[in-house]
Structure formats: structure tokens, C-alpha cells
Amino acid sequence: MGNDLITQAAQRVAELKAYFVDHERFVPLAEGFSILAEKRLVDIQTGRISEAQGLALSGHSGAGKSAAITHLLAQERQRLADQGYGDSTIISLRVPSPATLKFVGQMLLRALGYPIGADRHAWYIWDLVQHHLKERRVLFVHLDEAQDLASRGTKHELDSVTSMLKTLMTDPEWPVGIILSGTNELEDILNHDHQLARRMRTVRFESLSPAAYGDDILDLLENYCELAQLEPEDDVLELSHGERVVHAAANQFGIAIVLILDAIEDAYLHGQKTLNRHNFIRAYHRRTSCDAEFNPFVVPDFMRIHARQVFSRENRT
Ligand SMILES: Nc1ncnc2c1ncn2[C@@H]1O[C@H](COP(=O)(O)OP(=O)(O)O)[C@@H](O)[C@H]1O
Ligand SMILES: [Mg+2]
């Protein structure tokens, strides 16, 4: 394996990673979001003030939530900039740890471009947050890994953060739409806080089942092969291979893509013109260090292998 091959493989895979798969599950999310955005823009144009609404996206780790929201927000930012709304219409950040009222406020201020020391009171920080959101005409604030609002802080902190989010959404002068994405525990937060839930549209990225999605994933694999300019061999076009990919990906759409890209990278590294099952076997092994007997691309009864434990570690970013 020469250095040239490695550099080339890295470049080509980086290009493939930049590609966003517009899966059907993306549609309800995109629609939900454009309705929110349109409502808000109409209010601004007509000088009306009504409460902003929000959107919550839940799903297992690796489902593709962050990728989908990042793609959606980039599109929307561009659209809003083209329409003359400026380039700071959407702020996006990961919920910090610890998720205290003060720390979340501080991170938000930093994302707004106004870092501030920790020696201030929470109420002072949030006053500034509200001020700058309005000043900079921010329409949406997105918090990723929003389930961490509940897991790290105390119950009291969770209540104060959610009530602050509601305050932002109902601001009498400049209401801001809140977008939350996170694992299924995010739903617990919303179930717990009905006032917040009432203002949020919710979308869930369901897990895939090998039986129902094996075929779908084969289509995806073929598309990636085309992009990658690799010919798929027969052994990766069998329905059972699609099912193996879904299962190895712990039924998560995003992880299935990662597995396919890993296999493609392996094929590049071996200077191949085709993609075959051995690329999947090696790619899975490289990522998990699992022996062949735990490799779902090797064993016949692959359904007995628990893929989630293997992947869940690294997917929490
Ligand atoms: N629609 C998509 N198109 C291309 N790649 C995707 C897509 N969705 C997910 N991925 C890939 O899957 C990985 C995991 O998805 P991610 O969005 O981080 O999952 P989640 O946020 O739900 O844990 C991402 O790093 C990305 O490489
Ligand atoms: Mg994520």
C-alpha cells in the first residue's frame, strides 16, 4: 500500500463524505422546518409578532440527525441570505456540559460572537443573549444533543433552561424559533414539559429494520459505488448483504453510510476497481477490532451479533 494510494484514497473519500443523501425521511423534517421559517418571515414582513414555534428531531445515535439538520440549516441560511435577511439568521451549537442555565447562556453568547467571563450572573448573561439575538436578527437557535439538557444538569437546571427556551420563543419583541435535536431521551424532556412541547413540531428518525430496508440500502450502496466509480461485485448486491449492512449499522441510517464509505475506502486502499464483501469485512474489522466470529459480514447467522455496543461508543460526539 503506497503513500500515493493512501493520499488518493483519503481525498476521494473526503469528497464522498461531503455528499448528502436526500433520503425520504428527510422530507417531513424539511417540510416542518420550511413551514416554521415561512410563518416567521411572513410575521416579520407584516410587522406582526406571534410566538415563534420550534422543531424537535429525535432518533438513536447514528441515525443521521446532526447531518440532516446541518444540511437543512445550511440550505436555509443561504436562502435567507439571498432574500436579504443577513448571514446570521441561524445559530447552531451543541449543548455544553454541564448544561446549566448559565453555561448554556454563555455558549450561546459565544456563538453570537460575544464571549463573556464566567463571573456574571445567569440572568445577566441571558439578558445579553436576548439582546444580541434581537440585535442580530437571529431567527432560529439550534441545540444539538439536546437530551443532555436533562442528563447532566439537575432537575432544577433543566427546568430553568427549558423555561428560558420558552422565554426566547415568546419574546414580545423578537421571538426566536428553537430547534432541538437529540437521542430519544429528548422526547422525555418534551413529555415532561408540555408548554415547551406544545410549541414544538416533532419529527423522529426511526431505526431501519434489516428486513424492510435491506433493499433500500442496496440502492444506496449502488449509488455510492457510482459516485465512487467502483463496480459493485455480485456478493455486495445480494439482498442478504443489504441486511447485513443494516444490522451491522445497528439499524441506523447514518452508520450504514459510514460503513459503506469505510468499505469504499478499503477498496481504494487496495487499488481495486470493484467493491466486494471483503472490503466490508475488513472495514468492519478495522473500525471495531472485532474477531471474525463477531463480524456480521462474515458469519452466516449475523443477526445474533449485537452491533450497537460496538458503534455506540464512538458515535457520541
Ligand atoms: N443524509 C446523509 N447523507 C450522507 N451522510 C450521512 C447522512 N446522514 C448521516 N450521514 C453520515 O452518518 C454519520 C452519522 O450521522 P449523524 O448525523 O452524526 O448521526 P446522529 O446525529 O443522529 O447521531 C455522519 O457523520 C455522516 O457521515
Ligand atoms: Mg448527532
Side-chain angles (χ1 to χ4, degrees), residues 19-22 60-68 144-145 224 253-255 257-258 315:
Y19 175 74
F20 179 78
V21 181
D22 219 337
H60 283 295
S61 162
K65 303 177 297 294
S66 301
D144 198 11
E145 303 289 357
Y224 267 110
F253 181 71
I255 301 179
I257 293 178
V258 171
N315 225 273

Side-chain angles (χ1 to χ4, degrees), residues 123-179:
W123 59 263
Y124 178 81
I125 292 174
W126 280 93
D127 246 20
L128 278 180
V129 168
Q130 274 188 287
H131 171 78
H132 288 301
L133 288 173
K134 183 177 152 197
E135 198 76 355
R136 293 190 43 190
R137 300 175 68 77
V138 172
L139 299 174
F140 291 98
V141 168
H142 165 229
L143 299 176
D144 198 11
E145 303 289 357
Q147 77 281 352
D148 283 353
L149 291 175
S151 61
R152 306 273 164 84
T154 62
K155 168 82 177 55
H156 172 73
E157 287 291 346
L158 172 62
D159 286 346
S160 42
V161 176
T162 53
S163 79
M164 194 50 83
L165 297 180
K166 283 179 282 189
T167 304
L168 297 185
M169 292 170 92
T170 55
D171 186 285
E173 285 180 58
W174 188 259
V176 175
I178 303 290
I179 301 164

Side-chain angles (χ1 to χ4, degrees), residues 286-304:
R286 200 173 304 127
R287 199 171 263 273
T288 63
S289 309
C290 281
D291 296 335
E293 64 193 292
F294 292 109
N295 190 319
F297 295 104
V298 177
V299 300
D301 53 343
F302 60 92
M303 289 296 280
R304 72 173 165 80

Side-chain angles (χ1 to χ4, degrees), residues 35-218:
I35 291 170
L36 294 190
E38 282 313 315
K39 274 191 186 159
R40 186 71 183 95
L41 293 186
V42 167
D43 277 356
I44 291 174
Q45 282 154 13
T46 55
R48 242 194 335 238
I49 305 274
S50 47
E51 287 180 6
Q53 283 181 322
L55 188 71
L57 173 64
S58 64
H60 283 295
S61 162
K65 303 177 297 294
S66 301
I69 298 248
T70 305
H71 181 76
L72 189 66
L73 297 188
Q75 263 182 351
E76 190 66 19
R77 261 190 208 111
Q78 188 58 51
R79 198 173 74 90
L80 290 168
D82 290 346
Q83 292 184 20
Y85 286 94
D87 56 3
S88 57
T89 42
I90 304 173
I91 301 282
S92 176
L93 65 149
R94 189 204 184 290
V95 166
S97 171
T100 59
L101 181 62
K102 183 166 163 174
F103 203 36
V104 174
Q106 255 183 300
M107 295 303 285
L108 205 45
L109 259 191
R110 187 178 303 170
L112 282 161
Y114 299 91
I116 191 176
D119 51 340
R120 306 292 189 150
H121 281 293
W123 59 263
Y124 178 81
I125 292 174
W126 280 93
D127 246 20
L128 278 180
V129 168
Q130 274 188 287
H131 171 78
H132 288 301
L133 288 173
K134 183 177 152 197
E135 198 76 355
R136 293 190 43 190
R137 300 175 68 77
V138 172
L139 299 174
F140 291 98
V141 168
H142 165 229
L143 299 176
D144 198 11
E145 303 289 357
Q147 77 281 352
D148 283 353
L149 291 175
S151 61
R152 306 273 164 84
T154 62
K155 168 82 177 55
H156 172 73
E157 287 291 346
L158 172 62
D159 286 346
S160 42
V161 176
T162 53
S163 79
M164 194 50 83
L165 297 180
K166 283 179 282 189
T167 304
L168 297 185
M169 292 170 92
T170 55
D171 186 285
E173 285 180 58
W174 188 259
V176 175
I178 303 290
I179 301 164
L180 302 175
S181 51
T183 57
N184 296 345
E185 290 99 74
L186 169 58
E187 292 174 19
D188 298 340
I189 297 180
L190 295 175
N191 286 333
H192 182 79
D193 190 326
H194 295 292
Q195 287 178 317
L196 183 62
R198 188 168 67 69
R199 300 191 166 86
M200 306 291 262
R201 232 167 223 283
T202 53
V203 177
R204 184 194 285 163
F205 277 0
E206 299 287 354
S207 298
L208 316 175
S209 70
Y213 281 91
D215 238 0
D216 237 25
I217 292 297
L218 287 185

